[in-house]
Amino acid sequence: DGWFYSSDGTLFVRYNDGSSTQWVQPNAPLAAQVEQRYYSPNYIINGGFDIWQRGTAVTNCGEGVYFADRWAPNEYQTNRVSRVSVTSGLGPVSQYAIRSASRGSASRQVVYQKIESVNSIPLRGKTVTLSFWLRTSSASWASTGNSYDGFRYYLGFNTSNTDAAVGQAGGGFDTAETVMISNGSLPTTWTRYSITGVVPSNANNIAVRFGMHLDGTATADTNWFEVTDVQVEEGKTATPFRRNGNSIQGELAACQRYFYKCGQVLSPCTTTYGNSYSQMTSFTSTMRVAPSITYYPGANLSGTVNNASWYNSTGSAGNSAVNIEYIDQDGFYVMKSGVNNMTLVVFSYTASAEI
């Protein structure tokens, strides 16, 4: 048994020494273990850039195109991004970081995440802190000399829309706390930064953004910044980084609320109506909304888009479109007609419920 003293949050547990029972306060290490195991203050998903279901290197990804799970450029920016390893002992605790690099022409290098309204609205009126680690390829970049002349980081808030799709229309934020690190003073070793703000009383989404603008003289991949250990938490103090999902399994499940990739489905045709067949396919996590489905006949998303492979009991086989029906947050039905004695449908797919 256990209870918390509501005045100061102290944890007490019931202790029995064999002759009597009493309420006692556990030692500090035990209390810390309880907090670490069951609670993460971080509202950013994939802040350590562990999860990249779409692949760990994306070239010239544009408006609204996600790269690392939950991360995308917003508006019209174009990035060359990749996952890079972080040497332990240099500051960050995560194993990986995201690198946004020059692409050989003028480009606004932006890394952005919008926190879903269901997690943002409870923070209305509260103080929150954004913290992260940053390093760059050099202290000075060849930039355009505009508002992105230095590296800027933002703690932003959406008040005019709710869960608007990341992109030029409504994909940024309405108000923001922002800081610029001047060009010429960019950190070339890992350095931690933070910024604090009060969430507006009418905010529907919280967003974070990191960015800088190159003037196009840099050749591809010569100028870059790397970010990791991104955390947004309630309060005025930046605490040590923790994953949103506490464990790597929990972080993957949090990401799969928004995007899910399945390498291969072997769908036996067990439900038949003449020469029509259907089978239920389930997601591993309940998704944010009913997702859009894209499927392929081969394993690991290979082959002609929106085709599946089918087999029947006489040895015939083929690739053709199937019907994806009754899509909801937990799964969908695969339906196929016009093939006699069909026994199996094979396909791989992605399901996207991204903001």
Side-chain angles (χ1 to χ4, degrees), residues 44-309:
I44 290 291
I45 296 173
N46 202 25
F49 298 96
D50 300 286
I51 312 300
W52 295 64
Q53 293 186 82
R54 299 167 179 85
T56 56
V58 183
T59 300
N60 296 347
C61 55
E63 177 181 339
V65 177
Y66 282 81
F67 26 82
D69 278 54
R70 301 298 304 123
W71 293 97
N74 73 299
E75 300 178 4
Y76 51 83
Q77 292 83 7
T78 302
N79 291 30
R80 290 168 63 92
V81 298
S82 59
R83 187 177 73 178
V84 294
S85 296
V86 175
T87 302
S88 62
L90 298 182
V93 299
S94 294
Q95 184 178 359
Y96 300 108
I98 189 170
R99 172 179 289 187
S100 179
S102 56
R103 61 184 181 93
S105 60
S107 61
R108 186 177 296 178
Q109 303 295 304
V110 171
V111 175
Y112 173 94
Q113 182 174 144
K114 178 183 287 187
I115 300 173
E116 188 182 353
S117 59
V118 69
N119 294 320
S120 297
I121 289 175
L123 294 172
R124 287 176 174 174
K126 297 181 179 180
T127 299
V128 296
T129 297
L130 162 67
S131 59
F132 63 98
W133 287 85
L134 168 73
R135 75 168 183 169
T136 67
S137 54
S138 60
S140 298
W141 285 14
S143 72
T144 58
N146 62 10
S147 61
Y148 275 79
D149 187 47
F151 180 91
R152 285 186 176 271
Y153 55 98
Y154 299 78
L155 175 61
F157 311 102
N158 287 110
T159 56
S160 61
N161 52 58
T162 304
D163 294 339
V166 172
Q168 193 164 356
F173 33 73
D174 299 297
T175 62
E177 302 290 340
T178 181
V179 172
M180 184 178 75
I181 305 171
S182 298
N183 197 4
S185 301
L186 304 175
T188 56
T189 59
W190 284 112
T191 305
R192 197 183 195 206
Y193 297 91
S194 65
I195 184 173
T196 297
V198 176
V199 181
S201 60
N202 61 340
N204 299 314
N205 296 101
I206 300 171
V208 300
R209 182 166 73 178
F210 312 103
M212 191 168 178
H213 201 162
L214 295 178
D215 70 354
T217 61
T219 57
D221 300 318
T222 57
N223 291 128
W224 47 260
F225 69 79
E226 295 173 354
V227 171
T228 192
D229 287 5
V230 184
Q231 182 157 281
V232 170
E233 59 190 306
E234 186 178 346
K236 299 179 179 180
T237 303
T239 65
F241 173 78
R242 280 178 281 183
R243 291 189 180 102
N244 173 274
N246 282 315
S247 66
I248 191 67
Q249 296 91 340
E251 201 80 339
L252 175 60
C255 291
Q256 288 176 336
R257 173 174 169 80
Y258 304 90
F259 183 82
Y260 178 64
K261 181 179 78 172
C262 182
Q264 189 173 57
V265 176
L266 303 177
S267 183
C269 301
T270 56
T271 305
T272 63
Y273 304 92
N275 67 349
S276 297
Y277 306 84
S278 66
Q279 185 66 31
M280 175 70 178
T281 296
S282 298
F283 308 130
T284 58
S285 299
T286 297
M287 304 198 74
R288 182 180 70 91
V289 295
S292 59
I293 306 293
T294 303
Y295 63 96
Y296 304 81
N300 300 316
L301 313 182
S302 61
T304 304
V305 65
N306 291 339
N307 270 241
S309 300

